[in-house]
Amino acid sequence: MLGASTSCLADKSLGVALHKLTKVDGLDFVEIVNEGYHVLDEHNYRLHLEVLECHGLKSIIHAPFSDVNIASLNERIRRTSLEIIFETLKIAQNMGSLLVVLHPGHRSPLSGRFPKAYEKVHKRSLEEIDKIAQRLDVKVGLENMPTFPILDGQTVERMSEFLDGTDLYVTFDVGHLNTVNGEFNHFIDTLGDRIIHVHLHDNDGKSDSHLALGEGNIQWEKILKLLPRRATWGLEMKRIEDLEKSIKFLKR
């Protein structure tokens, strides 16, 4: 299944974004980035679900990430972050979404001083999310992060640590890994059975620029053959023009 993220229309309302994406040929689902102008709640999701269903499209929900931190050592912030994630899982259940994409927590100056505490609360949060997800029967794909000082979950080894002892899945972001080490074969060989969703976008290996496929240095002819066919593939660009270019690129 191929889909597209609403990130390419982040400056538009969710209603407008969905309307435009339903006009794009070749999509099976829309990945709604649940923040900014695209926030879902217990009331508005019904209207957006109706739009998707009218066009035969499924949904994936990308959980909020910009202003949350499930690994915060401030317990009030961590609890609030978890509550926001739990709300997203509930909405995903109500919408019959294919899965929820989740970012790991991130480091702060305080967690740098207390790394053991950081590891403990981070793992606890992932276990709590896993427990709620199983109760709601919603799949969660933990996403690997791009190279950036405070971001966690950049390597396959770190992702494996997060997944250990949980039933969480993996959202494999190809563009993110390209900025870290480009070890695509190793990532897929190690976590292949857990990869439920894939993010596709291009870059130069240095900046997480979310370019159209073919406009960076990722060797797509090789990568696409490695990706799990049972996983959903989501195009994640910053502009709808780049989304359309990427769909044409995949059809070659």
Side-chain angles (χ1 to χ4, degrees):
M1 295 178 71
L2 180 68
S5 169
T6 60
S7 59
C8 66
L9 293 159
D11 61 335
K12 308 296 183 184
S13 70
L14 182 54
V16 170
L18 293 182
H19 175 74
K20 288 181 177 293
L21 289 174
T22 59
K23 305 300 181 183
V24 177
D25 292 330
L27 299 182
D28 300 301
F29 66 85
V30 173
E31 182 172 330
I32 300 173
V33 183
N34 186 22
E35 61 178 29
Y37 292 141
H38 298 172
V39 169
L40 292 164
D41 59 41
E42 61 180 333
H43 304 293
N44 71 2
Y45 82 83
R46 294 180 177 84
L47 176 62
H48 300 310
L49 175 60
E50 183 178 336
V51 171
L52 292 172
E53 289 180 337
C54 284
H55 292 85
L57 294 171
K58 298 291 186 179
S59 68
I60 285 175
I61 302 179
H62 195 308
F65 58 91
S66 294
D67 295 316
V68 302
N69 185 8
I70 63 171
S72 175
L73 291 183
N74 183 318
E75 184 61 13
R76 290 173 65 188
I77 292 176
R78 190 181 78 91
R79 289 309 322 169
T80 299
S81 297
L82 285 175
E83 288 171 7
I84 291 170
I85 301 301
F86 297 158
E87 289 173 4
T88 300
L89 293 176
K90 183 60 179 178
I91 291 172
Q93 180 195 46
N94 291 338
M95 292 184 68
S97 300
L98 298 172
L99 72 137
V100 170
V101 176
L102 175 71
H103 280 199
H106 56 267
R107 298 183 178 89
S108 68
L110 188 62
S111 59
R113 292 178 59 194
F114 302 100
K116 290 184 178 180
Y118 169 77
E119 295 294 336
K120 183 177 180 180
V121 301
H122 203 166
K123 188 65 174 180
R124 184 191 305 158
S125 291
L126 291 171
E127 291 171 348
E128 289 186 53
I129 291 168
D130 181 40
K131 183 178 181 180
I132 297 299
Q134 289 188 54
R135 183 186 303 166
L136 297 175
D137 194 24
V138 173
K139 294 181 173 63
V140 175
L142 188 67
E143 182 178 358
N144 60 296
M145 294 290 98
T147 183
F148 195 75
I150 69 170
L151 296 183
D152 210 338
Q154 297 183 29
T155 65
V156 67
E157 291 78 15
R158 188 60 169 156
M159 290 290 288
S160 296
E161 290 178 11
F162 286 151
L163 296 170
D164 185 45
T166 76
D167 288 321
L168 297 173
Y169 294 89
V170 173
T171 292
F172 174 32
D173 193 300
V174 177
H176 286 177
L177 191 63
N178 194 52
T179 70
V180 176
N181 54 33
E183 296 180 351
F184 303 110
N185 292 72
H186 181 41
F187 193 101
I188 295 170
D189 288 344
T190 304
L191 298 177
D193 291 341
R194 302 289 281 269
I195 298 175
I196 191 174
H197 186 45
V198 177
H199 280 166
L200 303 175
H201 53 94
D202 216 332
N203 59 60
D204 62 1
K206 299 177 182 179
S207 174
D208 183 31
S209 46
H210 287 254
L211 302 175
L213 303 190
E215 294 189 355
N217 65 7
I218 296 177
Q219 298 180 27
W220 290 106
E221 289 187 5
K222 295 181 179 180
I223 301 302
L224 293 175
K225 294 177 182 178
L226 299 174
L227 298 178
R229 290 293 187 256
R230 58 177 176 71
T232 47
W233 294 11
L235 294 164
E236 197 177 50
M237 282 79 208
K238 294 182 178 179
R239 305 188 310 156
I240 194 166
E241 295 83 1
D242 291 336
L243 168 63
E244 292 167 340
K245 288 180 184 178
S246 297
I247 292 174
K248 291 180 181 178
F249 181 91
L250 290 174
K251 290 181 177 179
R252 294 177 187 172

